[in-house]
Amino acid sequence: STIHAEEKKQGNGDASPSPEVERFREFLRIPTVSFEGPKGPYQKAVAFLSELLKDVCKLKVVECVKGKPILIATREGTEPGLKSVILNCHYDVVPCVMEKWFCDPFAAILTKDGQIVARGTQDMKCVCMQY
């Protein structure tokens, strides 16, 4: 996925990624491979998202399948008479064919031209972070 983040200049003249880009990369580094089932690091992904949302949403974790948590984050609007909106995404990714990758698919490498190379950049961890 190409991320053209606003970058701030450091004292040494090198550009560094914005905090938002670094937060996204941190999330991408959690290897939530779907076919690993309940033994996968899903709890870590939910903990990561919960930490981001705890001050702005009511959080509830549901486990329909033990070890595969679903995070429900609710943010109430200011006009209770309006209809609700649901935003849905998932944080698991399909397994990697390692010989097709030039790097660790969970390293979340930021290239010189602003691209982030990692499993989940487009499907679908990016949507989790956009919400």
Side-chain angles (χ1 to χ4, degrees), residues 2-74:
T2 302
I3 304 292
H4 295 286
E6 291 185 28
E7 298 178 336
K8 59 183 179 178
K9 290 286 187 177
Q10 298 295 318
N12 61 8
D14 294 334
S16 65
S18 68
E20 295 82 8
V21 169
E22 284 306 306
R23 194 167 29 250
F24 180 43
R25 291 176 67 206
E26 184 180 349
F27 187 44
L28 291 168
R29 290 183 184 116
I30 303 170
T32 52
V33 179
S34 60
F35 295 114
E36 289 181 357
K39 67 181 180 177
Y42 301 117
Q43 300 288 349
K44 187 174 180 181
V46 166
F48 178 88
L49 293 171
S50 295
E51 182 64 27
L52 291 178
L53 297 170
K54 69 181 182 182
D55 295 330
V56 293
C57 294
K58 293 179 185 175
L59 304 176
K60 180 179 180 181
V61 177
V62 177
E63 284 195 14
C64 299
V65 175
K66 186 169 174 48
K68 293 187 81 173
I70 297 168
L71 176 63
I72 300 170
T74 303

